[in-house]
Structures are given as structure tokens and as C-alpha cells.
Amino acid sequence: MRNKKELYIAKCINDLNKKTEIPGKIKGLDVLLLKEKAKLLFEKAMNANNENDEEVVYIYLMKYCQIIQFMNKTFIDDKLYIDCMYKQNLKQAVNMLTYIKESLVKRYNEKTKEEDNNKLLKHPNQKGKNSEEKLNFEFESTITNENLLYLLENTDRKKICLLDTRPSDIFYKNKIISCDVINIPKENLILGLTPTILANKLEEPFKEIWTNRHNYNYIIILDQGTEDIDDDQRLLNLRSALLKWDPSYDYSKKLKFLKGGYEDFNHLCPWETSQNNIIKSNKDVEPLSDVELDPEPEYEEPENKQIRYPSLGIVQNDLDKLKIKSTLYNGLTTGIKLKLDHKDNYSSEEDIDSQELTRIPINKPQLPIFDRSTKPPVKNNQFKNPEVIKPLYKDNDELDDENNELPNNIEQLENRRLSLENNFLENVDACVHEYKNQDIDLNSIPHVDRSTKPSDDLLIVSKTKIIGGDGLRGLQNLGNTCYMNSILQCLSSTEDLVKYFMNIYSQFVNYKSRTKGLVAKEFSNVIKNLWSQSGRSFQCQQFKDSIGEYKDMFKHYDQQDSHEFLTILLDWLHDDLNQPEDNRVILGASKETGEEDWGHWTKANNSIIQQLFYGQQKSTVSCDTCFEKSVTFEPFSSLSLPLPSEGNKCTLSDCLQLYLNGESICGWHCPRCKRSRDATKKLDIMRLPPYLIIHLKRFSSNGYKKNSNVEFSRTDLDMSNFINGLEHRNWKYCLYGVSNHIGSLDGGHYTASCLKKSINKWYKFDDVRVYEIDPSTICSSEAYILFYCRKN
């Protein structure tokens, strides 16, 4: 869990409340538009909550509750109203506001006391010294987003001009609004550019600003990410135009590049930007823009006008109509008070019935009842229907983006455009089509055991290449979705999987699967976006919405277990890409070694997921009384290894040996004794996949997490001592990905550490933050899931 973000919007809770007003024209919107606005505000609050920015969370949730309050009063007889109320979200918002207000009041008071003490102790010359340190960027060619925000808040904004080099369509959809901005698309930044040439290329609204450029104290150049400035010749051309070809003015100190560009600035202070979400309405009403709902850092008191904002008490009165009762501060009705530890995320995992809220005692939040310590083994019938099946398409429908919900912002539009561009296979060898379309002659099939032969799909994949970016794009956190981001980054570092989904996956989609191929399609879009060259991060909202359609636990924004998500995702991807080989003949395979079972299973389960990630293990249960044995062979997509109960340090070999040692079980029905007996269960690994996933079972059934430091090999994992099969292969693996978990079961954070083989460097993926790391830091007590690749 990250530390709480420093207070920077207001000085007290009253000042913060002034920033929670929503525009009066919201009363002119219909219920569907209000629904969209409420949803947007709640999602933004969850994103800010993930960053532990309590001030922004408070502002967004207060505005969210105001809209719900207005809907409650205005559309109480509207049937659509019931669908728009987001009852569970409203309960979560009220609980969060209860805690956050108490926390903010305390923090504001502490900050005021600290500032007062500093004033008493500060040396008279200290103020000048601090200002000098704050403005140490005066002599640098770059400026950070923090320093730009400092200038906007402490200097004259009219003396700051931004030169935004992003494409015009992106600029107008999402731009910085706190000072003068000129849009100069990079396509115009040619070699030999001069101020005069550039003036002729500018749109009319920007020409006057450009003419008066010498009046600004700061001229700041930015693009989407503004990284690798020295390698971006277009940006250098713009700087040269001002420094070399405009000699009448000295730009040496005022001209800067913005580090991190618009993307980081929007992440730091979204209230200084505009995000115009276009929402279609059946009413002729001007849509309410996001910027009017965003927190504003500067506030001017209206003259002779008392500011009114809905208190939490007013919100509570309306909640009582829905029989939702909670205790809030400052005059709210007495009910329950949810106490949240400041180290934990605000969670709404418990689905509390609204009529039972008043009878719930004030206790510590209950631990989730899901036992993650005993993941069910993968059975032969593991590919079964999900809990909730809600097809989005008919069997004969084409999977196209016209059936999907339109993206809400320019980032999504850009990502969907990239997905469409890469949706079809380009320049694929003719052998792919020949392989999938050839007629199968039973008489021509040799009567040999093909259960252990290399798959044709893998041979095709090995011939392809990854064409695009470097795979170093981050993933935006949609609200407690770090578990998903961590797994997606590890899978995005799985070389053969990336090649498959970027090049040939569309040839193998099974449109008769449970999800009609939708999960595979959206996963392919994620992979292509992660490997695109556009921007530093993107939002995979469409992917999350798709998996949420088929599993309720992923529909909302609660924290989930990354291994559980990985297991379900691989299951769905396999189902979407499964091409059973019903005509393949299995002869001569050994029953005792599991070859026959493996051959029959792979006939019915033939996909790239099976070929890359699935292995086989043997389970032998023997009666402790008569020694009768029962042997079954089971496929697995990951090995879930127990950790020794004692000691803070162990090795991966210790965990593997403990996994294979066997365990005592009670109540096993012995087929010979015809009664329940104590028995011993022993596991043996019979075959290993090309990509081996190892899950460290850190969570016990009582919610306790083992933070043992498991030492594992990074470059040479030898599995030959742990396999009992007859297959002779190279059983040495190298590590390429780790899903890390920080914190406890109640509240934690997931990250990923991944190796990019093309440049042989390790990187840390912490949602949108991506940075290089020392390989020696990878082996830590945070390692949760290990991703290994078989060495060539």
C-alpha cells in the first residue's frame, strides 16, 4: 500500500468542500446522461483512491453523491432510475467518505500545526533559500511536471506558454487548460524550421499567441510522453527554430522540455486538463464536460453569495429512502460506522443487505472467506461452463468493434484504432492457411504416438517476429486492477504467446466457445497495444469489461488474487482458441507413464495455450490399511507450491520437494476396503510445458500471509530432479517474469518484474510506471508467481 499523497488542493476541509460543487446545468440532463456522469465520477474516485490521493477521492465522491441525490429527487418515478442508482457503489462511496473526511480533518490540522511550528523556527533567510531550491530548474533544459505545477500555482499563469506537439485531434480532445497553449503537430516540425515558416503552419487561434511568444517567462515544449528527447529530431527542430533562428530574443532560460509530457501531467493534476467525453443523448441539452466535474486547485469566493454544498447529512437523508444506513460526520443519523485501517484500501467486498446494516456490530472487517491456499487442481473436465454465461454475440455473429461500447476518451480511441489496424494477419506464410484448410485423410495418418510431438502451431509461431514497440507500455489502474495489470505484463513478456497473438491468432479462433472468442480478441488487443509505439501507457477498460461479462468477480473494482485471475484467463483463452483434433489416432502410447491419457486429452484440448503452458502430473492415492492404489493423470497450467511452515528463508527446491513429498488425507473411500480410510496422496510431475508457471502459496486459509524469502534461480532452474516421466528433454529453465504482491490479504498491491529479451534488461511494471531495475533485486519476499521459459 502506497503512502497517502501529500495535501495540495486545500488547506482545510471547508476549503475542500467549496471544490465539490457541480454545475447548475446538470439539472437539464436526462437520467441516462446523469448515469454516465455518476459512473465516470465513481471510476475517477477509484483511480484516485488507488493513488491514495484522499483530497481528489473526496471531491469526486461528494460530486457523485450529489448527482445520485439529484436523481433520487428528480427521477424517483422513472423506471430507469432503479438501474442507475448503483446501490453497491453508493454504499461504498458513503463508507469511504466517512473514513476520508475524518482522515482529512486530522491531516489538515496536523499540517497547520506543522506549518505554524516551522514559521516559528524558520530562519529569516530560509524563505529565500527554499524558493531558490524550488526554482533550481531555471538553468535546466527540462522541467518536471511537479515544477510546472509549482509555477502555475505560484507565478503568473499568463506568463507561461505551452507548445503541444501532439496531433490536432488528440490535442482538442484532451489538453492542458491552465495557461496559454499552442498546438504544433509534429508533422510540421521539419528540418530547417524557422519561426516565420512555423507561423504560416499554425491554425488561426494560435497565431496571435505565437507572435507574442517573447512576452512569456516560460515556453515549454511537450508531447504525449516527452521521453528520449535527444532522440526525437522533431522536438529538437522546434527548439532550434527558437534558439537559432529567432536571434532577436534570448530563449536560453525560458525554453524547456516537459519531462513525462502530457501523460504524466494529466496523471499528476487532472483538474488542470480537459477530457471531453462525448455522450449521445435523446435530449437537446449541452453535455456536461468532465472538466466541470474535476477538482479545481484555484477557487475564488463569489461576492455576496453564500456557497452551498450538500453535506454528508443531506446525502444520508436521501440514502434512508433506499434503506441504506451509515454513520456520517456532522449531523448524520446514527447507524454503523465502518472503521478502516489507513494502511488498507477502501473495500466493498462484503455484499451487505441494506436492511441488515443497522444490526451489524462494529467489528474489524471480516476476512474474505475465499481460501486461496487450496486452489483446485486442474481436472480433465476443467474447461467447463463459467458461473455466469452472458453471450454478447450470437453464434453466427462477426466479432467486430461496431457491437462494442464506444470508448470514452481519446486514449481508448487511439488504442482501439491500433487494435483494428492489427486485427488481421499481415504477410503470413502461406503454410499457415494450408495447415488449417487442408483436408484430412484418415488413411494417410501414421499409426504412431503423436502425444509428445511438437505442435505445428508452435513451429509456425517460431517463424514469426514481434514487430512494433519495445513492450514497455504501462497499464492504467482502473480501480484495484493492479492484480490484472501484473498478470498481463507477465504474459506480454511471454515471447511465443506475443508472437501468436500479434501475427496468427485470428486463424484459430473458436467462435463456438463460451465467450464466442471475445476474450481472446480483447486479449489480443491488449498485447498489440502493449507492444505498440504509441504513448507510455493505456487503459484496457474494454478487456476488463469483457471478462466481467463472464465472471462477476471481475465485473467490479474489488481487489482479486492474481493467480486466480491467471488461471481463469488461461482457461478462457484456451477455450477461445481450442481446435480439437478428433481425427488424430493414438496408438502405442503407454498407459502407465500417462502418455495415453495425455494423448487423448490433447486431442480434445488443442490450442496454443495448451501447447505453451500445460503439463501433466500423476496423482497416486494409496490406502494406509491395505495399500490399494488409485492413479490418475491430470493436466496443469501452473504448479502451486507450499512454503515450509518454519523459517523466513527457503529455496524453490525446498518448495518443490515439499510439493512432491506427499500428504496424509482422511476419509478416502478405499475401493478394496469398501470404507473410508486414512490414505497418502503422492504427486509426480510427468511432463513439463515450454513455459512453466510456479505459484508460491503465500496465503493460508486463515488469511495469514507467509513473507518468506524464497530463493529461486534466475538463469538456470534445473527441473530434472523433480520430473518422473520418461520423456527426455532439456529440463532447464530461465526466469522471465514475476508477479509480485506487497502487503497483506486485506490490502495489498501487485506489480510485475519482467525481462525483455530483445534488449536483455529487467523492468518493473507498477501500473503506469515502468522503469529498469537491477536483476539482483528480483528475488524477494514479494515474489508470488514465477514465469519460466525452457532454455533452448
Side-chain angles (χ1 to χ4, degrees):
M1 185 69 62
R2 302 186 184 94
N3 295 328
K4 293 180 180 179
K5 193 167 184 176
E6 292 293 330
L7 301 172
Y8 61 102
I9 295 181
K11 294 184 177 181
C12 64
I13 195 66
N14 290 333
D15 288 342
L16 191 64
N17 280 326
K18 295 174 184 178
K19 303 179 185 299
T20 63
E21 277 196 300
I22 57 176
K25 64 180 179 180
I26 191 175
K27 297 180 180 180
L29 301 180
D30 63 13
V31 67
L32 294 177
L33 278 174
L34 289 173
K35 172 185 174 182
E36 293 298 328
K37 292 301 174 184
K39 178 181 178 182
L40 176 65
L41 285 168
F42 188 82
E43 290 177 352
K44 286 190 173 185
M46 295 303 102
N47 290 339
N49 175 46
N50 188 62
E51 299 295 329
N52 274 346
D53 193 339
E54 288 188 328
E55 289 179 308
V56 175
V57 174
Y58 182 85
I59 292 173
Y60 280 140
L61 288 183
M62 284 293 288
K63 291 182 178 182
Y64 167 80
C65 288
Q66 290 179 69
I67 293 181
I68 297 299
Q69 176 190 357
F70 177 74
M71 293 168 63
N72 185 24
K73 292 179 179 179
T74 309
F75 302 101
I76 191 64
D77 297 326
D78 195 326
K79 293 182 179 180
L80 290 174
Y81 168 76
I82 303 299
D83 181 57
C84 298
M85 279 301 294
Y86 291 98
K87 181 178 178 181
Q88 187 64 30
N89 289 349
L90 188 58
K91 289 193 293 183
Q92 183 178 355
V94 172
N95 289 335
M96 291 174 65
L97 282 171
T98 302
Y99 169 80
I100 292 176
K101 183 173 183 180
E102 178 185 18
S103 174
L104 285 173
V105 169
K106 181 179 179 181
R107 292 176 65 196
Y108 282 133
N109 291 336
E110 291 176 350
K111 184 177 181 180
T112 301
K113 292 179 181 179
E114 183 180 356
E115 290 176 350
D116 292 341
N117 292 334
N118 290 338
K119 290 179 181 179
L120 295 176
L121 299 175
K122 185 181 292 185
H123 189 273
N125 296 327
Q126 187 67 32
K127 183 176 180 180
K129 182 179 179 181
N130 286 344
S131 299
E132 182 180 352
E133 292 176 353
K134 194 70 179 180
L135 297 175
N136 60 0
F137 56 82
E138 290 285 350
F139 301 97
E140 301 291 338
S141 62
T142 59
I143 183 174
T144 65
N145 283 280
E146 290 79 6
N147 283 332
L148 175 56
L149 181 61
Y150 172 81
L151 289 177
L152 292 172
E153 293 179 345
N154 296 279
T155 64
D156 187 357
R157 296 187 175 205
K158 296 180 181 180
K159 293 294 184 179
I160 302 173
C161 180
L162 306 180
L163 306 183
D164 194 325
T165 64
R166 296 177 299 152
S168 297
D169 56 343
I170 297 178
F171 169 80
Y172 283 112
K173 290 286 186 180
N174 206 340
K175 61 185 177 180
I176 298 174
I177 60 173
S178 50
C179 60
D180 288 341
V181 184
I182 301 176
N183 180 224
I184 313 176
K186 277 189 178 181
E187 61 195 44
N188 296 325
L189 304 180
I190 59 177
L191 193 63
L193 185 69
T194 66
T196 303
I197 296 176
L198 187 55
N200 296 327
K201 295 178 178 292
L202 295 177
E203 296 182 17
E204 197 62 36
F206 306 125
K207 289 185 177 181
E208 183 178 354
I209 303 176
W210 180 255
T211 303
N212 298 322
R213 61 189 178 278
H214 58 276
N215 293 327
Y216 293 99
N217 293 334
Y218 297 96
I219 298 178
I220 299 171
I221 302 173
L222 67 126
D223 65 1
Q224 184 67 19
T226 321
E227 289 187 294
D228 301 324
I229 297 169
D230 293 336
D231 295 330
D232 195 328
Q233 188 59 48
R234 299 274 183 170
L235 295 182
L236 298 179
N237 291 342
L238 178 56
R239 182 175 65 176
S240 297
L242 290 170
L243 293 180
K244 296 182 180 180
W245 302 106
D246 200 3
S248 302
Y249 307 102
D250 182 11
Y251 296 99
S252 58
K253 291 184 179 180
K254 64 171 62 177
L255 187 61
K256 312 287 182 185
F257 288 108
L258 181 62
K259 288 184 178 179
Y262 175 84
E263 195 168 278
D264 279 4
F265 184 85
N266 183 51
H267 183 73
L268 174 67
C269 44
W271 58 91
E272 299 282 4
T273 67
S274 65
Q275 292 183 345
N276 299 321
N277 288 325
I278 302 175
I279 302 177
K280 296 182 179 180
S281 173
N282 57 350
K283 287 189 176 182
D284 187 17
V285 179
E286 181 184 357
L288 189 67
S289 65
D290 298 342
V291 70
E292 296 175 281
L293 299 177
D294 281 339
E296 301 173 2
E298 300 291 340
Y299 180 82
E300 297 180 0
E301 185 81 18
E303 296 182 1
N304 302 324
K305 181 180 178 181
Q306 183 179 2
I307 297 177
R308 299 180 60 190
Y309 58 89
S311 66
L312 294 180
I314 297 176
V315 174
Q316 179 61 41
N317 292 334
D318 289 296
L319 296 183
D320 288 340
K321 298 178 182 179
L322 298 174
K323 299 181 180 181
I324 301 177
K325 299 183 179 180
S326 298
T327 297
L328 302 177
Y329 287 84
N330 297 336
L332 300 182
T333 57
T334 305
I336 67 164
K337 177 182 179 182
L338 181 60
K339 296 184 177 180
L340 297 176
D341 193 320
H342 71 278
K343 297 181 180 179
D344 294 340
N345 277 334
Y346 315 114
S347 175
S348 62
E349 289 186 8
E350 303 177 29
D351 188 11
I352 307 175
D353 188 271
S354 59
Q355 298 181 359
E356 300 295 326
L357 285 176
T358 56
R359 298 198 292 270
I360 297 180
I362 303 175
N363 293 324
K364 183 179 180 181
Q366 298 179 0
L367 294 174
I369 60 175
F370 183 83
D371 180 10
R372 293 189 171 93
S373 65
T374 56
K375 293 287 193 302
V378 183
K379 300 293 184 181
N380 286 358
N381 62 347
Q382 70 159 16
F383 303 111
K384 59 184 180 180
N385 293 333
E387 297 176 3
V388 179
I389 298 181
K390 186 179 179 182
L392 299 182
Y393 305 92
K394 298 179 181 179
D395 289 349
N396 298 326
D397 284 348
E398 291 287 338
L399 287 178
D400 55 46
D401 291 287
E402 295 178 359
N403 295 325
N404 293 333
E405 183 180 354
L406 288 175
N408 287 330
N409 55 43
I410 192 62
E411 184 71 29
Q412 289 185 359
L413 286 172
E414 180 185 11
N415 294 331
R416 302 300 291 164
R417 177 184 62 78
L418 289 169
S419 302
L420 288 173
E421 289 177 356
N422 295 312
N423 202 29
F424 297 101
L425 181 63
E426 295 181 2
N427 300 325
V428 182
D429 292 340
C431 63
V432 179
H433 303 282
E434 180 181 354
Y435 164 67
K436 294 306 299 180
N437 298 326
Q438 62 184 346
D439 294 330
I440 300 177
D441 184 3
L442 286 177
N443 296 326
S444 65
I445 298 179
H447 293 266
V448 295
D449 175 23
R450 284 183 46 88
S451 64
T452 60
K453 299 296 181 183
S455 167
D456 291 337
D457 293 354
L458 285 180
L459 294 177
I460 296 172
V461 168
S462 65
K463 297 178 181 179
T464 62
K465 295 181 180 180
I466 299 176
I467 302 176
D470 50 16
L472 296 179
R473 292 191 78 187
L475 283 167
Q476 296 178 22
N477 195 310
L478 307 176
N480 291 323
T481 56
C482 54
Y483 70 93
M484 179 178 72
N485 293 350
S486 173
I487 294 302
L488 290 177
Q489 292 291 5
C490 290
L491 293 179
S492 176
S493 299
T494 306
E495 193 173 68
D496 286 332
L497 188 70
V498 173
K499 290 180 179 179
Y500 182 87
F501 274 97
M502 291 188 71
N503 296 320
I504 68 173
Y505 109 93
S506 59
Q507 304 292 319
F508 300 85
V509 177
N510 173 22
Y511 292 108
K512 295 183 179 180
S513 67
R514 291 163 292 170
T515 73
K516 306 297 184 293
L518 181 62
V519 171
K521 175 187 177 183
E522 292 303 333
F523 179 77
S524 176
N525 290 338
V526 171
I527 293 298
K528 291 167 185 174
N529 276 292
L530 285 175
W531 283 86
S532 76
Q533 297 177 342
S534 177
R536 299 178 59 198
S537 65
F538 81 102
Q539 185 182 87
C540 56
Q541 182 71 55
Q542 191 72 22
F543 172 78
K544 182 189 178 300
D545 291 343
S546 298
I547 63 175
E549 289 291 335
Y550 298 96
K551 196 75 172 178
D552 282 346
M553 63 190 298
F554 302 135
K555 180 176 294 185
H556 306 293
Y557 294 89
D558 299 328
Q559 184 67 275
Q560 303 295 341
D561 178 66
S562 68
H563 180 249
E564 190 174 1
F565 169 74
L566 172 64
T567 303
I568 295 173
L569 177 59
L570 291 180
D571 180 10
W572 283 346
L573 290 176
H574 164 80
D575 198 26
D576 280 355
L577 301 168
N578 190 20
Q579 302 284 339
E581 297 182 308
D582 298 329
N583 294 322
R584 181 156 61 91
V585 177
I586 305 296
L587 293 177
S590 170
K591 178 69 174 177
E592 290 75 18
T593 62
E595 287 183 343
E596 183 177 330
D597 286 75
W598 180 253
H600 286 296
W601 184 79
T602 54
K603 278 180 62 177
N605 297 279
N606 176 46
S607 74
I608 191 67
I609 304 301
Q610 170 261 312
Q611 295 156 21
L612 292 180
F613 298 106
Y614 275 85
Q616 184 191 45
Q617 62 185 4
K618 179 174 73 172
S619 174
T620 304
V621 181
S622 57
C623 177
D624 291 348
T625 302
C626 70
F627 305 107
E628 175 71 9
K629 292 183 179 181
S630 175
V631 178
T632 57
F633 294 93
E634 303 166 343
F636 67 86
S637 60
S638 65
L639 295 176
S640 291
L641 306 183
L643 274 63
S645 57
E646 297 181 358
N648 294 324
K649 197 171 184 179
C650 62
T651 66
L652 186 60
S653 296
D654 296 334
C655 300
L656 283 164
Q657 195 58 56
L658 187 62
Y659 178 74
L660 299 174
N661 279 344
E663 59 178 344
S664 298
I665 57 176
C666 300
W668 182 66
H669 184 78
C670 177
R672 175 178 290 181
C673 299
K674 305 297 183 183
R675 64 180 64 185
S676 296
R677 297 288 193 186
D678 291 341
T680 301
K681 181 178 179 179
K682 176 73 167 61
L683 294 176
D684 291 288
I685 301 173
M686 305 307 293
R687 66 187 70 243
L688 288 169
Y691 289 87
L692 174 62
I693 300 175
I694 297 179
H695 164 231
L696 303 177
K697 297 171 66 175
R698 293 192 178 275
F699 298 104
S700 61
S701 57
N702 59 7
Y704 172 73
K705 181 185 177 184
K706 296 181 180 180
N707 290 311
S708 304
N709 193 344
V710 181
E711 293 184 355
F712 49 84
S713 175
R714 184 169 53 85
T715 58
D716 193 16
L717 172 65
D718 191 350
M719 292 292 294
S720 57
N721 294 329
F722 304 103
I723 187 166
N724 196 32
L726 300 179
E727 209 173 24
H728 297 288
R729 289 189 180 179
N730 179 12
W731 298 124
K732 291 186 178 181
Y733 289 81
C734 58
L735 186 74
Y736 70 91
V738 180
S739 175
N740 305 294
H741 181 270
I742 311 163
S744 63
L745 183 62
D746 294 331
H749 181 60
Y750 287 96
T751 64
S753 302
C754 300
L755 171 67
K756 294 304 176 182
K757 292 185 178 180
S758 59
I759 52 180
N760 196 31
K761 291 182 179 180
W762 281 87
Y763 289 86
K764 188 68 166 287
F765 294 84
D766 186 355
D767 291 336
V768 297
R769 288 165 290 278
V770 181
Y771 51 91
E772 186 179 352
I773 57 174
D774 188 338
S776 62
T777 63
I778 295 170
C779 185
S780 70
S781 58
E782 299 173 358
Y784 184 45
I785 306 175
L786 311 178
F787 291 77
Y788 280 97
C789 175
R790 180 182 292 153
K791 301 177 74 173
N792 295 328

